[in-house]
Amino acid sequence: MNLKYLYRSIRFLIVIGAVVLALYSFYFLSKVTYPFLIGLIIAFIINPLVDILEKRARMPRLLAVFIALIIIFSLFAGLITLLIAEIVSGANYLSSVVPNHLDTLIEYIEKYFTAQILPIYEQLTSVFNKLESGQQDTIIGNIQNVGTRIGTTVGTFIQNLFGIIPNIIAWLPNAATVLIFSLLATFFISKDWYRLSKLGGKLLPEKAKTSSRSVFIDLKKALFGFIKAQLTLISITTVIILIGLLILRVDYAITIALVTGIVDIIPYLGTGAVFVPWIIYAAIGGDTGLALGLGVLYIIVLVQRQVMEPKILSSNIGLDPLATLIALFVGFKLIGFLGLIVGPVTLVIISTLYRANVFYDLWVFIKGNEV
């Protein structure tokens, strides 16, 4: 066998082994160090704000980090408080109108049962009484089996549902601990950001340092581009819903539009979590005009999201729209809803590594030339 190809095969296996080992190590370490990884990500996001406070406001780095954390924390706390206040206001409104709508719904169900279900039941009873005893026993046995399966399924679901509650209660102290450690990690990492960057640069070879710097810059642009794209999509969705609800003269249009826009963050499900039950309820309640209007509005929102998402993501992240669309679909097929986020992120990482010539350097290494 040609030694050149043998050496190439060995180097190829070394590259594959190194990549697998790196991924496994990252996975294992992330399970025990994820608060610090969260802190690193937060420090990375707030670093531009810290730099502005440090340079333009002439603050000490320590104070700039502290104020930046307070600003970010205050914004999130304010948004959550506003959301809770709107939910409480909406709940009070619903508590005053739902009983009347519920009476209407019950009346509709009673009329539907009397007009549709009862005649069918009487016909089935008449047919059943004409059957032989053996056939009747078979039907009764099948119905009992179906009832048993339904009861078992419902019982298992309720048991699992109540079993989640102790897990949630037990998770709360852990969540508080993770939050505290993440905030502390964010503070110390952000405070020593440039010192840690220099330290990391000293540990890397010059070639790896150049590639890492290029990868870091591209990933930074992609991350902020991704956040900007999501905010843009949510804003467009919120404005369209608000205009549609105002045209339909729906009460609390601003609140509903804001909540639905936030729900739009949920992959795949998105605004359907609000619109679908609302449309069904309006149709059952006899408000056909509102149901039709909401249906048209939902279709408009759904179409604009599907059309605009690849374009906005590609323009903000710097990817081809078709490649972005493929990444969205493949990610969804492989890992579900989360794949709609992981897919584009993975594409960004691959594209960034390609532009930084990482794949070329690996290919040169496998071929045996000097990198």
Side-chain angles (χ1 to χ4, degrees):
M1 181 178 180
N2 194 324
L3 290 178
K4 180 175 68 175
Y5 293 105
L6 177 62
Y7 292 149
R8 287 183 180 179
S9 300
I10 293 173
R11 283 189 287 268
F12 176 75
L13 293 176
I14 290 173
V15 170
I16 296 298
V19 171
V20 172
L21 180 61
L23 292 175
Y24 178 78
S25 300
F26 177 78
Y27 173 75
F28 176 77
L29 291 175
S30 63
K31 293 174 66 175
V32 294
T33 61
Y34 61 92
F36 303 97
L37 294 176
I38 295 173
L40 176 63
I41 295 172
I42 298 175
F44 174 72
I45 293 174
I46 69 171
N47 190 60
L49 177 59
V50 175
D51 287 342
I52 292 174
L53 293 175
E54 182 183 15
K55 295 176 181 178
R56 296 187 180 181
R58 297 181 179 179
M59 293 182 180
R61 181 80 183 180
L62 187 69
L63 180 60
V65 173
F66 184 72
I67 292 178
L69 285 175
I70 290 178
I71 292 173
I72 299 299
F73 186 79
S74 299
L75 286 175
F76 275 103
L79 288 173
I80 293 173
T81 302
L82 178 63
L83 181 61
I84 292 175
E86 292 294 343
I87 291 175
V88 171
S89 176
N92 291 331
Y93 170 74
L94 290 176
S95 65
S96 63
V97 300
V98 163
N100 295 329
H101 289 298
L102 190 59
D103 292 339
T104 303
L105 180 62
I106 292 173
E107 182 181 354
Y108 175 82
I109 293 174
E110 290 176 349
K111 291 181 179 178
Y112 182 82
F113 183 84
T114 304
Q116 303 293 333
I117 305 299
L118 195 58
I120 295 175
Y121 172 75
E122 292 175 351
Q123 293 177 5
L124 292 176
T125 303
S126 176
V127 173
F128 179 78
N129 291 330
K130 295 178 181 180
L131 296 176
E132 298 179 359
S133 59
Q135 294 174 328
Q136 292 179 356
D137 292 339
T138 302
I139 293 174
I140 292 174
N142 290 331
I143 293 174
Q144 290 176 344
N145 290 334
V146 171
T148 302
R149 291 179 182 177
I150 294 174
T152 302
T153 303
V154 172
T156 303
F157 174 76
I158 294 175
Q159 183 179 3
N160 294 334
L161 182 63
F162 282 103
I164 293 174
I165 297 176
N167 295 332
I168 295 176
I169 295 174
W171 176 79
L172 291 177
N174 180 64
T177 304
V178 170
L179 178 62
I180 293 172
F181 273 93
S182 296
L183 290 176
L184 289 174
T186 302
F187 179 80
F188 288 112
I189 292 173
S190 183
K191 181 177 70 71
D192 298 325
W193 180 265
Y194 293 105
R195 184 179 67 84
L196 294 174
S197 299
K198 291 180 181 179
L199 179 62
K202 292 179 180 178
L203 298 176
L204 293 174
E206 189 61 33
K207 182 66 177 178
K209 190 189 303 183
T210 304
S211 299
S212 300
R213 188 179 298 112
S214 176
V215 170
F216 177 79
I217 293 173
D218 283 350
L219 286 178
K220 183 178 179 180
K221 292 180 180 178
L223 174 62
F224 286 103
F226 183 79
I227 295 174
K228 180 182 176 182
Q230 292 300 324
L231 292 176
T232 302
L233 289 169
I234 292 171
S235 300
I236 293 173
T237 299
T238 302
V239 170
I240 292 175
I241 292 174
L242 178 59
I243 293 173
L245 294 181
L246 290 175
I247 293 174
L248 295 173
R249 298 181 180 179
V250 175
D251 295 331
Y252 292 92
I254 297 177
T255 302
I256 296 172
L258 289 173
V259 172
T260 309
I262 294 173
V263 172
D264 194 39
I265 299 175
I266 302 175
Y268 192 71
L269 190 61
T271 54
V274 175
F275 274 102
V276 173
W278 193 3
I279 293 170
I280 294 174
Y281 176 78
I284 292 177
D287 197 345
T288 308
L290 178 60
L292 184 61
L294 292 175
V296 173
L297 179 59
Y298 177 54
I299 292 173
I300 293 173
V301 171
L302 198 62
V303 170
Q304 75 83 22
R305 177 78 183 196
Q306 299 302 318
V307 172
M308 296 296 293
E309 185 171 15
K311 180 176 177 58
I312 293 177
L313 279 176
S314 62
S315 61
N316 283 276
I317 300 177
L319 297 175
D320 182 75
L322 179 59
T324 305
L325 186 63
I326 293 173
L328 289 168
F329 182 78
V330 172
F332 172 72
K333 281 296 184 180
L334 290 178
I335 56 177
F337 298 151
L338 188 61
L340 296 175
I341 298 176
V342 175
V345 171
T346 304
L347 182 61
V348 166
I349 294 174
I350 294 174
S351 177
T352 302
L353 294 176
Y354 175 77
R355 287 196 295 266
N357 292 325
V358 173
F359 296 129
Y360 175 77
D361 292 340
L362 290 176
W363 175 245
V364 171
F365 171 75
I366 291 172
K367 288 177 64 177
N369 299 331
E370 293 184 359
V371 180

